[in-house]
Amino acid sequence: MSAAASSTQPRIVIAGGGLAGLSLALALKKALADGIDVVMCDPALKRDPHGDKRSYAIAAAARRMLEALGVWNQVADRAQPILDMVITDSRLQDPVRPTFLTFAGEVDGNEPFAHMITAGDLTAALIDACRESGVNLRPEGVKGFAVQGARTDVTLAGGEVLPAALLVAADGGRSRLREQAGIGWISWPYRQSGIVATIVHERDHEGRAVEHFLPSGPFAILPLKAEVQADGSLKHRSSIVWTERSDHVAALLESHPEDLLSELERRFGLQLGKLSFETKPQAYPLSFGVARRFVAERLALLGDAAHVIHPIAGQGLNLGLHDAAALAEIVTDAMRLGMDPGGADVLDGYERARRTDITAMGMVTDGLNRLFSNDVLPVRLIRDLGLGLVDRMPGLKRFFIREAAGLTGREPPRLLRGESL
Ligand SMILES: Cc1cc2nc3c(=O)[nH]c(=O)nc-3n(C[C@H](O)[C@H](O)[C@H](O)COP(=O)(O)OP(=O)(O)OC[C@H]3O[C@@H](n4cnc5c(N)ncnc54)[C@H](O)[C@@H]3O)c2cc1C
């Protein structure tokens, strides 16, 4: 008899301790406690999470989930609420950037539609919470798996085999486990790269996010929490996502630091005063990808392993956190009824719960990028007319801001409503 079959606790192995995988591990363990053995495998668990200097916009729904999981209160003082948002559409050489659309950043009372936080802070808090709640953290990769009837044998990089009821592949956009499961991947490149960096500026951003639609792609300025320095003064900071044509990126990043800074200033503007780079700019090639199925026998895809979208709306990770909320709820409810957490009914429920939302968000972000990343005059005129009209329609603006906050759509999973499982 296998270890899984002889154990009283069903085991779920999660391959990939990015923010999506960690959130799922924590949600399952908090809900099912001793009723489940959650094993989280990722070689990256050996590294200091604070080494990851990227920052993310966490939508209100995802923040409610982190709050329900007891993680948000650990990071709230380092998260910057987005208080309003300004959208412009212009060319780089234009002397002024007319504002076409503004949003006040609140949904449901005083709740901001999103907060900015560094990946390092959030990952560290999730790892601590996973450890405290009894998730089995293994700093090792998953090499492969073999389904054997009512279990899947998961092989770790060092050769150890863990029998499990379910393997969750949360191993990122280039998921090897997705490939091994024979799940097809529909994808196309954008021929754009997203350059990310943290920028220090002289003046306070006052919680404002700015998105300049430029012909090479969107240039987003996202406010970060100011840091108190040794002399008591504040270091004002923002995160940028600078989309450029991929064939320009290498030359740009290898250019002299002063030339790179002046290219930054041309896009960022000088409204926040003098600028400097706090982190070294890093480029990520952008593509679209969605798995043909999100499940296979005793396997579920989660986060970027299931879908990769354009960062134009800052929604990629939020979709992954939504996956985690949905899968945790479906597995928890099934296990409370005595069902097999890796059974076909449970996995089909997850596929049905996520397919529409993911396809819709993928298409919207793809369409927005095509509409805005060009300099064709009639297209510019129509989109600017559209933006201007939206700006005059408070009801539509409220809909868009609730959509960005992840608060629209069919009945969201309980965690995204801030309820525990
Ligand atoms: C420029 C840019 C800006 C973005 N901005 C935002 C934003 O503001 N808001 C937002 O919501 N999204 C944003 N995104 C999207 C976001 O970065 C991703 O959607 C998110 O990081 C995916 O998280 P994940 O946990 O699914 O995967 P990942 O973060 O890719 O984690 C995968 C993990 O799997 C591990 N792994 C790989 N192979 C194995 C294996 N065989 N076994 C075990 N572990 C393995 C890796 O070590 C890694 O830790 C942005 C993306 C880009 C490119």
Side-chain angles (χ1 to χ4, degrees):
M1 188 179 277
S2 74
S6 64
S7 159
T8 50
Q9 284 176 311
R11 177 182 288 143
I12 295 183
V13 176
I14 302 171
L19 292 165
L22 286 167
S23 302
L24 174 69
L26 182 61
L28 286 171
K29 197 65 193 169
K30 282 215 157 218
L32 295 160
D34 291 342
I36 193 170
D37 177 22
V38 180
V39 186
M40 155 58 64
C41 301
D42 191 331
L45 291 170
K46 286 186 206 130
R47 296 200 291 264
D48 173 8
H50 289 106
D52 189 344
K53 301 292 180 200
R54 289 175 296 173
S55 300
Y56 293 120
I58 301 291
R63 189 203 60 76
R64 288 180 189 183
M65 162 172 165
L66 294 167
E67 192 163 30
L69 293 175
V71 174
W72 188 254
N73 57 353
Q74 304 299 319
V75 293
D77 61 344
R78 276 161 285 152
Q80 168 66 46
I82 299 184
L83 301 176
D84 69 7
M85 187 158 177
V86 168
I87 293 175
T88 77
D89 185 7
S90 59
R91 284 166 300 189
L92 205 48
Q93 63 274 23
D94 291 348
V96 284
R97 301 235 170 102
T99 296
F100 282 97
L101 194 52
T102 56
F103 288 102
E106 284 165 359
V107 287
D108 296 354
N110 290 330
E111 185 179 10
F113 84 95
H115 282 78
M116 286 301 297
I117 184 148
T118 65
D121 281 342
L122 194 50
T123 307
L126 275 164
I127 292 175
D128 285 349
C130 280
R131 188 177 293 114
E132 276 163 28
S133 52
V135 173
N136 188 350
L137 295 169
R138 301 287 302 261
E140 207 178 336
V142 168
K143 199 161 69 180
F145 62 92
V147 178
Q148 312 281 356
R151 66 171 208 269
T152 179
D153 285 340
V154 180
T155 306
L156 304 192
E160 187 183 348
V161 176
L162 297 176
L166 174 66
L167 170 63
V168 179
D171 52 340
R174 295 199 192 135
S175 170
R176 297 248 309 270
L177 297 172
R178 181 184 67 223
E179 250 177 67
Q180 282 182 36
I183 299 178
W185 183 242
I186 304 163
S187 72
W188 51 83
Y190 283 121
R191 298 190 179 82
Q192 291 169 318
S193 292
I195 302 170
V196 294
T198 302
I199 306 299
V200 176
H201 37 80
E202 254 175 314
R203 288 195 279 279
D204 188 0
H205 47 53
E206 294 172 352
R208 168 167 295 174
V210 181
E211 186 139 20
H212 295 303
F213 286 121
L214 298 169
S216 59
F219 181 93
I221 305 171
L222 301 154
L224 291 177
K225 196 86 178 176
E227 274 179 9
V228 184
Q229 308 202 79
D231 64 2
S233 65
L234 288 178
K235 181 157 89 170
H236 299 294
R237 304 147 73 234
S238 290
S239 170
I240 56 160
V241 182
W242 171 353
T243 314
E244 269 300 327
R245 281 177 45 185
S246 291
D247 50 0
H248 290 173
V249 164
L252 191 64
L253 294 187
E254 282 156 21
S255 60
H256 190 279
E258 278 181 21
D259 295 337
L260 182 59
L261 192 62
S262 71
E263 286 298 324
L264 172 75
E265 284 170 355
R266 290 178 73 198
R267 290 158 178 83
F268 197 107
L270 288 169
Q271 64 282 5
L272 296 181
K274 205 164 157 282
L275 308 176
S276 60
F277 285 99
E278 182 180 277
T279 61
K280 193 167 181 289
Q282 282 183 320
Y284 296 84
L286 303 180
S287 62
F288 172 88
V290 66
R292 284 194 184 274
R293 285 174 298 131
F294 299 152
V295 298
E297 206 180 347
R298 299 212 166 267
L299 180 126
L301 303 179
L302 188 91
D304 274 21
H307 43 76
V308 171
I309 62 170
H310 196 284
I312 191 163
Q315 291 291 333
L317 171 62
N318 286 289
L319 275 187
L321 297 176
H322 197 142
D323 297 347
L327 186 56
E329 179 169 315
I330 289 166
V331 165
T332 300
D333 289 352
M335 285 186 67
R336 286 183 180 146
L337 292 172
M339 290 166 70
D340 172 358
D345 292 353
V346 172
L347 296 180
D348 287 350
Y350 172 60
E351 169 93 34
R352 275 198 309 277
R354 296 304 295 134
R355 175 64 65 186
T356 310
D357 185 26
I358 287 166
T359 311
M361 185 60 83
M363 291 300 112
V364 166
T365 50
D366 186 77
L368 280 176
N369 185 50
R370 284 172 203 275
L371 182 63
F372 283 98
S373 300
N374 71 67
D375 199 18
V376 181
L377 189 62
V379 178
R380 289 190 63 199
L381 290 175
I382 289 169
R383 74 191 180 209
D384 292 348
L385 186 66
L387 284 177
L389 283 174
V390 173
D391 202 38
R392 285 174 189 78
M393 298 166 87
L396 199 54
K397 283 211 294 192
R398 209 171 311 119
F399 170 78
F400 282 140
I401 209 80
R402 288 185 66 78
E403 184 73 29
L407 298 174
T408 54
R410 280 186 308 144
E411 178 118 330
R414 298 199 286 279
L415 282 169
L416 293 182
R417 286 183 260 144
E419 297 163 21
S420 54
L421 286 179

